[in-house]
């Protein structure tokens, strides 16, 4: 289907763009999560694949989540639920290792949405044998349960009778009174006469100003400021490990963990105890969303699930209780010793995962934490063969070993670039006890790889194949799995090369991999892979996705894409760091006609008749979208929003400027201290590349970006007059004023001042740093902006407070440049609500069209 021509006329254009958005967004199904579980009814060989999907309902202003299932057995893959089952919103769903039980963690439906997270009650439901077997209420034990991918993992005990999870420490708000509440009796300092409370109960005179019940907090503490973990974690302050024994209906905190540690991502090893990640909260909390540089470590506590004596019930005579193990003995209630087991050189860690045989713990460690993201090394901790968990004594652990190190400079233009992440690993990433499977950003692609973590790999190398240890980063251990052909089965899809897709692993069981794959012109659908011992995978699409095939035929048939390699022109000379000399990339989404004509046109033809070539191509306007971060990266994957702008009439250019992840650590570290110069130049280089090669219309170029992409948009529209219009979403505008109000103030110092500014989080800025921040900020150039610019703001943004965008808006108003602000209440940095995202994208298209397609 050809992209529709932009509609002429004000009201008609608004109606058309809104309807186009509705069709594109509502028809798209997003794969949210998936699991492989042992089939309860299909025999020993059968596996059930459970996939959670989500569609956007713009009329209702909500997302609709639903689940479908498939049976995998003896080479067959059959859909067992052709009609989706809609799922109610829950915090987390966790299937037990045996597949016999499912835990559903959900918020109390009667909880006040505006209540503090520390006071919100939850329920834990255990489903087995096709029914709800147990429900445990946690009210009064802790606050909200964490269901995110940073803190919120859930671990089953070996007998599946208990769960360890993460929840907010309970805060009884009644014990933090104001000065005038009933539980505080006020005594006038100037009078000795008794004062009656509101129930007319006389209290004796007291020389002190306030008299409180012994167990209550200090008066006037009700509104004391509580630090939290920032963007998307507002109100989440003190994550603690809790255990639920659902048969005994007991909830209790895991003992032995000091209050100064914020805990997350627990892993339970039979006979050894719990392993988990913890951050030290004795100092300031900084935002953790998209920030993998928060100082943390992996810890161990020899916890065996014993219910502490003060929470243990007397034994009951019911058959259900008598069959349960006796974990309530008081003699088991001994102090536990917590031990740090990750290495000191791992300054930040994430995603600890236990191997199937419980012999290894894999985790990712960062040796450089100046930037919010970067290259991590894969570490393996070989666990003790046997433990002394019953004695509650600390275990002796060996030093962790590096399996894959930090890749500073890739060995070749197509070589492995190291591990960097946008989210934590899947809960079960192990293909075997020695092979780990994960998604690896690889320049502008995302590949699926298997990593050999065996300690024997180095020893088994032939003498002439050995590499000096200082140079060996473990690249030889990384094997690409996303190769070959993905077969269609009965999915309605056509076979496609796996190398043309961007991959994300969801779950692994036995030799089966459940993944999701997409491309800019192919919406994501689940893919099943069967792996052999040689790391060869037979891939096939899941059946039952005819609607996705129809979506592709209707909306992306004429969309094609290419990855452009671009040589930088700034900070790339002879004296520049090696990482700065490397080319960067951009992904161009365009029409097949334009791409085919461009590829077939010889240089001689272009020299002869460039006007004829341009006319033949009917070049489209170019919409440039630099990513945020700045240390993130685009992958060549599907996005309904990109597809929307393609159908509005634009070529879309996604720029992975130097400083992006997935290009090696050396390239990433060239950007701090050069934000506002190097990244701006790279975006202009990518635009010039497209225009010089006549891939898009040079007379119609527009910009759109959010966060750091908004920072770049504001810079570019202020410093270059080639743009018809711009849209800046939650943009960084003035780093000086942002430093004292953002949840990641360290970002301001490092990105404006350089890597040596790491560790600075105070808003007390030196004059030198103040000047560096000002020079790096778009506000320094705003007085030159003549490009019409729309500013889009989330009023609940903790990452880039909305006042940043208002600074730019007021500067443009004062200049006389056409501008407008859209402000969304109760929306954070990502504008996550359906109402806000729909309104902002449609308004963005209308704003750009007003200047790119004038009537």
């Amino acid at each position: 289907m050809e992209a529709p021509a932009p509609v002429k006329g004000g009201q008609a254009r608004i109606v058309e763009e809104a309807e186009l958005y509705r069709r594109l967004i509502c028809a798209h199904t997003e794969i949210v999560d998936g699991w492989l579980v042992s089939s309860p009814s299909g025999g020993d060989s059968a596996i059930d694949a459970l996939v959670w999907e989500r569609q956007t309902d713009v009329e209702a202003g909500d997302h609709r989540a639903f689940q479908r299932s498939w049976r995998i057995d003896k080479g067959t893959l059959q859909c067992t639920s052709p009609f989706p089952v809609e799922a109610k919103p829950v915090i987390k769903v966790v299937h037990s290792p045996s597949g016999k039980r499912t835990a559903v963690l959900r918020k109390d439906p009667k909880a006040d949405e505006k209540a503090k997270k520390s006071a919100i009650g939850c329920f834990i439901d255990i489903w087995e044998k096709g029914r709800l077997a147990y429900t445990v209420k946690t009210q009064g034990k802790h606050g909200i349960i964490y269901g995110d991918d940073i803190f919120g993992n859930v671990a089953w005990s070996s007998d599946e009778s208990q769960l360890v999870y993460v929840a907010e420490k309970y805060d009884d708000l009644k014990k933090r009174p104001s000065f005038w509440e009933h539980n505080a009796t006020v005594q006038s300092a100037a009078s000795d006469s008794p004062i009656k409370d509101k129930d007319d109960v006389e209290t004796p005179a007291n020389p002190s100003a306030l008299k409180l019940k012994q167990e209550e907090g200090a008066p006037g503490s009700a509104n004391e400021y509580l630090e939290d973990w920032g963007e998307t974690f507002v109100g989440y302050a003190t994550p603690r490990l809790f255990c639920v024994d659902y048969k005994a209906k007991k909830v209790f905190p895991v003992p032995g963990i000091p209050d100064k540690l914020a805990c997350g991502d627990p892993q339970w090893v039979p006979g050894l105890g719990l392993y988990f990640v913890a951050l030290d909260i004795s100092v300031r909390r900084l935002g953790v969303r998209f920030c993998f540089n928060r100082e943390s470590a992996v810890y161990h506590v020899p916890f065996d699930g014993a219910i502490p004596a003060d929470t243990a019930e007397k034994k009951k005579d019911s058959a259900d209780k008598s069959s349960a193990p006796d974990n309530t003995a008081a003699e088991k209630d001994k102090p536990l010793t917590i031990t740090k087991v990750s290495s000191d050189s791992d300054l930040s860690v994430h995603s600890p995962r236990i191997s199937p045989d419980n012999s290894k713990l894999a985790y990712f460690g960062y040796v450089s934490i100046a930037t919010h993201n970067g290259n991590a090394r894969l570490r393996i901790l070989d666990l003790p063969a046997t433990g002394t968990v019953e004695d509650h004594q600390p275990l002796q652990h060996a030093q962790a070993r590096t399996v894959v190190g930090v890749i500073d400079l890739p060995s070749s233009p197509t070589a492995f670039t190291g591990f960097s992440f946008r989210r934590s690993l899947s809960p079960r990433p192990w293909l075997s006890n020695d092979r780990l499977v994960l998604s690896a950003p690889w320049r502008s692609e995302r590949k699926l790889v298997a990593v050999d973590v065996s300690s024997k790999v180095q020893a088994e190398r032939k003498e002439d194949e050995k590499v000096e240890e200082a140079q060996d980063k473990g690249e030889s251990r990384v094997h690409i799995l996303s190769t070959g052909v993905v077969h269609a089965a009965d999915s309605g899809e056509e076979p496609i090369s796996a190398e043309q897709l961007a991959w994300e692993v969801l779950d692994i069981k036995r030799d089966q991999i459940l993944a999701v794959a997409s491309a800019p012109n192919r919406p994501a659908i689940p893919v099943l892979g069967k792996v052999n011992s040689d790391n060869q995978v037979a891939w096939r699409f899941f059946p039952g996705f005819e609607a996705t095939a129809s979506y592709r035929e209707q909306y992306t048939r004429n969309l094609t894409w290419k990855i452009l390699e671009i040589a930088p022109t700034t900070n790339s000379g002879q004296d520049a760091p090696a990482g700065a000399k490397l080319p960067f990339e951009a992904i161009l989404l365009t029409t097949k006609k334009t791409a085919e004509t461009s590829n077939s046109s010889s240089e001689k033809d272009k020299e002869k008749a460039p006007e004829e070539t341009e006319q033949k191509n009917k070049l489209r306007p170019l919409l440039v979208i630099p990513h945020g971060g700045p240390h993130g990266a685009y992958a060549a994957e599907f996005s309904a929003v990109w597809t929307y702008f393609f159908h509005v009439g634009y070529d879309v250019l996604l720029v992975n400027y130097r400083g992006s992840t997935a290009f090696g650590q050396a390239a990433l570290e060239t950007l701090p201290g050069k934000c506002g110069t190097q990244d701006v130049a790279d975006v202009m280089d990518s635009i010039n590349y497209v225009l010089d090669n006549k891939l898009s219309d040079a007379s119609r170029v527009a910009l759109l970006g959010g966060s750091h992409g908004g920072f770049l948009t504001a810079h570019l529209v202020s410093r270059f007059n080639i743009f018809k219009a711009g849209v800046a979403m939650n943009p960084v505008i003035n780093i000086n004023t942002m430093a004292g109000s953002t949840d990641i103030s360290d970002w301001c110092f490092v990105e404006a001042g350089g890597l040596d500014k790491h560790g600075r989080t105070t808003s007390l800025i030196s004059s030198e740093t103040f000047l560096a921040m000002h020079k790096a900020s778009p506000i320094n150039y705003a007085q030159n902006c003549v490009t019409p610019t729309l500013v889009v703001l989330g009023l609940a943004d903790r990452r880039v407070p909305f006042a940043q965008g208002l600074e730019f808006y007021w500067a443009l108003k004062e200049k006389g440049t056409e501008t407008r602000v859209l402000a969304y209440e109760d929306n954070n940095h990502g504008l996550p609500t359906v109402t806000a995202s729909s309104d902002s994208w449609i308004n963005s298209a209308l704003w750009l069209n007003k200047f790119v397609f004038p009537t």
Side-chain angles (χ1 to χ4, degrees):
M1 166 177 163
E2 292 288 341
V7 176
K8 305 299 183 182
Q11 191 65 30
R13 175 178 288 179
I14 292 173
V15 172
E16 175 71 13
E17 297 301 357
E19 176 58 21
L20 174 61
Y21 181 89
R22 188 195 65 77
R23 294 200 318 267
L24 280 164
I25 299 300
C26 291
H28 170 55
T29 300
E30 178 186 2
I31 308 299
V32 178
D33 210 343
W35 306 271
L36 296 175
V37 299
S38 298
S39 175
S41 59
D44 295 338
S45 64
I47 296 174
D48 285 341
L50 310 176
V51 176
W52 272 38
E53 303 171 65
R54 186 173 72 177
Q55 279 186 273
T56 300
D57 185 344
V58 295
E59 285 90 350
D62 201 3
H63 294 293
R64 307 291 290 274
F66 53 91
Q67 178 179 294
R68 289 197 286 167
S69 60
W70 289 260
R71 175 69 48 80
I72 306 164
D73 191 17
K74 299 176 181 178
T76 64
L77 177 60
Q78 182 178 1
C79 184
T80 53
S81 61
F83 296 101
V85 178
E86 187 162 8
K88 294 181 179 180
V90 297
I91 296 173
K92 205 170 188 69
V93 175
V94 187
H95 301 283
S96 70
S98 70
K100 296 179 180 179
R101 298 170 183 85
T102 298
V104 178
L105 289 70
R106 58 188 175 90
K107 187 169 63 175
D108 185 345
K110 298 179 181 179
D112 183 356
E113 289 293 330
K114 296 184 178 180
K116 293 190 176 182
K117 299 295 189 292
S118 56
I120 292 177
C122 297
F123 290 94
I124 299 174
D125 300 329
I126 304 297
W127 294 76
E128 61 182 21
K129 298 180 180 178
R131 66 182 180 89
L132 178 63
Y134 303 92
T135 293
V136 180
K137 187 175 183 179
T138 70
Q139 182 69 45
K141 299 296 184 181
H142 56 66
I144 191 73
I145 293 174
Y146 286 64
D148 61 279
D149 66 329
I150 298 175
F151 294 103
N153 193 37
V154 177
W156 290 84
S157 62
S158 58
D159 64 358
E160 299 184 357
S161 68
Q162 294 177 309
L163 289 157
V164 168
Y165 58 95
V166 182
E168 184 69 9
K169 179 182 177 182
Y170 181 64
D171 184 3
D172 187 348
L173 301 179
K174 295 179 182 178
K175 294 183 179 181
R176 295 203 284 130
S178 71
F179 290 110
W180 318 121
E181 288 178 310
H182 169 62
N183 54 17
T185 303
V186 182
Q187 172 66 46
S188 169
S191 172
D192 292 332
S193 61
I195 298 175
K196 293 183 179 181
D197 63 17
K198 66 180 181 180
D199 295 323
D200 293 327
V201 177
E202 188 174 279
T203 57
N206 192 313
S208 63
L210 297 165
K211 181 180 179 181
L212 298 171
K213 294 179 181 179
Q214 184 175 4
E215 70 275 11
E216 291 173 346
S221 61
N223 298 296
E224 186 172 348
Y225 176 72
L226 182 66
E227 291 184 20
D228 57 29
W229 297 105
E231 181 68 21
T232 75
F233 285 92
V234 174
Y236 291 85
T238 315
R240 293 281 187 262
L241 296 183
F242 288 86
C243 181
V244 58
D245 188 312
Y246 57 83
K247 294 182 179 180
K249 293 206 169 182
K250 284 296 180 182
V251 175
F252 56 95
V254 173
I257 301 175
D259 289 341
K260 71 174 185 176
L261 294 183
C263 307
D265 214 343
Q267 310 287 315
W268 203 340
V269 182
L272 298 184
L274 287 174
Y275 294 86
F276 60 95
V277 172
L279 297 84
D280 190 337
I281 55 177
S282 59
V283 294
R284 176 181 173 179
R285 292 172 178 83
L286 291 167
V288 293
R289 176 60 64 195
F290 302 124
C291 294
F292 293 89
N293 60 332
R294 301 302 171 223
E295 293 187 42
S296 53
V298 179
Y299 290 87
H300 168 262
V301 62
F303 175 69
D304 61 357
I307 301 175
D310 59 350
T311 62
E313 282 186 325
K314 293 181 179 180
K315 291 183 180 180
K316 296 181 180 179
D317 294 329
S318 66
D320 186 57
K321 289 290 293 180
S322 62
S323 63
D326 179 14
N327 288 327
T328 64
E331 58 269 19
K332 291 187 177 182
D333 188 26
K334 298 178 181 179
L336 303 182
T337 302
I338 185 173
T339 307
K340 177 183 173 183
V341 296
S342 56
S343 302
D344 290 341
S345 59
D346 295 314
L347 303 181
S348 176
V349 301
H350 77 88
S351 299
R353 298 293 183 263
I354 303 295
S355 63
D357 65 353
N358 300 314
S359 68
K360 301 178 184 69
L361 182 145
Y363 68 89
F364 286 91
Y366 292 82
V367 295
S368 174
I369 57 173
T371 55
H372 68 89
N373 201 355
N375 220 290
R377 55 182 184 174
L378 174 57
R379 304 275 277 165
I380 293 293
L381 184 69
D382 295 303
L383 302 181
T386 58
T388 55
V389 66
E390 294 82 2
D391 299 328
H392 293 183
Q393 297 300 312
L395 303 179
Q396 296 298 318
H397 291 85
Q399 283 289 318
R401 53 187 172 89
T402 299
V403 173
V404 179
V406 172
I407 305 298
D408 290 310
L409 294 168
S411 58
S412 74
T414 59
F416 175 60
T417 60
F419 290 125
S420 57
F421 298 92
R422 57 177 183 170
R423 61 172 64 95
S424 298
L425 286 187
S426 61
R428 296 192 304 184
W430 294 91
L431 189 59
S432 69
N433 295 319
D434 288 325
R435 285 198 292 175
L436 195 70
V437 175
L438 64 154
S439 307
W442 201 301
R443 294 178 175 82
S444 298
E445 300 176 293
R446 191 180 307 113
K447 300 178 184 291
L448 207 63
V449 301
V451 184
D452 190 336
V453 302
S454 170
S455 59
K456 299 179 181 180
V457 171
Q458 184 70 30
E460 291 177 351
R461 286 179 178 169
K462 295 180 181 179
E463 200 65 34
D464 58 354
E465 293 177 344
K466 286 187 177 180
V467 183
E468 293 183 13
E469 185 176 357
Q471 297 177 343
D472 183 11
K473 300 295 185 179
E475 297 100 316
S476 61
R477 294 175 177 263
V478 179
H479 308 279
I480 300 174
L481 297 181
S482 49
T483 59
V485 175
V486 184
H487 295 281
D490 299 319
S491 63
E493 294 286 326
E494 300 174 354
I496 185 175
S497 169
E499 296 177 356
Q500 297 180 31
L501 302 171
W503 293 78
E504 198 76 55
V505 63
L506 299 178
D507 198 13
I508 297 173
K509 190 171 182 66
R510 301 175 193 162
D511 58 354
Q512 304 281 354
I513 299 175
L514 173 60
V516 61
S518 75
N521 56 0
R522 298 181 72 93
I525 68 170
V527 180
L528 185 70
K530 183 176 175 59
V531 189
N532 63 27
S533 59
D534 295 326
N535 285 320
Q536 300 300 312
V537 188
W539 295 108
R540 52 180 164 169
F541 290 116
F542 274 60
F545 282 85
E546 291 79 6
T548 302
S550 176
Y551 184 101
R552 190 179 73 250
E553 177 65 22
Q554 185 174 5
Y555 295 115
T556 65
R557 180 173 59 86
N558 194 43
L559 189 159
T560 191
W561 55 279
K562 59 172 63 177
I563 296 175
L564 311 176
E565 184 178 279
I566 301 162
T569 61
T570 302
N571 187 33
S572 57
Q574 185 175 356
D575 297 331
K581 300 175 184 178
L582 298 177
F584 63 94
E585 292 181 348
I587 305 167
L588 179 66
L589 280 57
T590 187
T591 62
K592 286 186 176 180
K593 184 177 180 181
T594 299
E596 290 168 359
T597 305
S598 172
N599 290 335
S600 62
S601 298
S602 67
E603 291 299 325
K604 186 176 181 180
D605 290 337
K606 292 178 183 178
E607 290 174 6
K608 277 186 175 181
E611 295 83 7
E612 293 177 12
T613 302
E614 185 170 336
Q615 181 64 30
K616 182 180 179 181
N617 287 352
K618 295 182 180 178
L619 297 180
R620 291 153 53 94
L622 180 66
L623 178 59
V624 184
I625 312 180
H627 65 70
H631 307 300
Y634 284 125
E637 61 189 339
F638 181 79
S639 164
V641 171
W642 301 343
T643 304
Y644 170 61
F645 281 105
F646 171 80
H647 272 272
V648 170
Y650 295 92
D651 289 344
V652 178
L653 184 66
L654 311 166
V655 185
N656 283 327
Y657 44 84
R658 286 171 296 169
S660 301
T661 53
F663 289 81
Q665 185 69 10
L668 182 145
E669 291 185 347
T670 63
L671 184 55
K674 294 183 175 61
C675 279
T677 54
Q678 179 176 291
D679 46 0
V680 170
D682 287 355
V683 176
M684 285 303 301
D685 284 345
S686 67
I687 294 170
N688 291 332
Y689 180 96
V690 171
L691 302 184
D692 290 347
N693 285 279
K694 302 192 182 306
L695 302 178
S696 299
D697 186 350
S699 67
R700 296 182 295 170
V701 183
L703 281 163
L704 183 151
S707 192
H708 192 81
F711 167 92
L712 290 170
T713 296
H715 263 292
L716 289 158
V717 297
S718 298
R719 296 164 61 180
F720 302 91
N721 294 334
I722 70 167
F723 304 105
K724 291 293 186 181
V727 178
M729 305 177 115
N730 289 320
V732 177
I733 297 299
N734 188 337
I735 301 176
N736 284 299
T737 55
M738 178 176 156
S741 56
T742 177
D743 66 329
I744 55 167
S745 54
D746 58 328
W747 181 98
C748 300
F749 288 88
V750 169
E751 299 303 341
L755 296 172
D756 61 339
K757 300 296 183 182
H758 168 60
R760 292 293 306 278
T761 61
T762 177
S763 58
L764 300 176
I765 303 172
S766 68
S767 57
E768 177 188 2
T769 302
F770 185 94
L771 182 59
M773 289 181 174
H774 183 68
K775 287 183 176 180
S777 298
I779 198 66
N780 188 38
Y781 304 93
Q783 72 274 10
N784 300 321
C785 181
V786 296
T787 303
T789 304
L790 173 67
V791 180
V792 180
L793 304 175
L795 297 183
D797 192 342
R798 292 281 296 277
R799 183 57 44 96
V800 182
F802 71 88
Q804 287 286 300
L806 290 181
E807 286 194 48
F808 196 63
Y809 169 73
W810 291 122
L812 299 194
K813 289 278 284 186
E814 184 175 308
K815 167 74 174 174
T817 300
E818 189 166 355
T819 185
R820 181 187 178 198
V821 168
L822 298 175
Y824 300 95
E825 293 185 358
D826 301 322
N827 273 264
N828 59 29
H829 194 55
L831 302 175
T833 67
V834 171
T835 301
S837 60
S838 300
D839 188 84
S840 63
W841 290 127
I842 295 169
N843 266 303
S844 294
L846 291 170
W847 178 267
L848 297 173
N849 289 355
K850 177 181 177 181
F851 304 99
V852 175
F853 302 109
T855 55

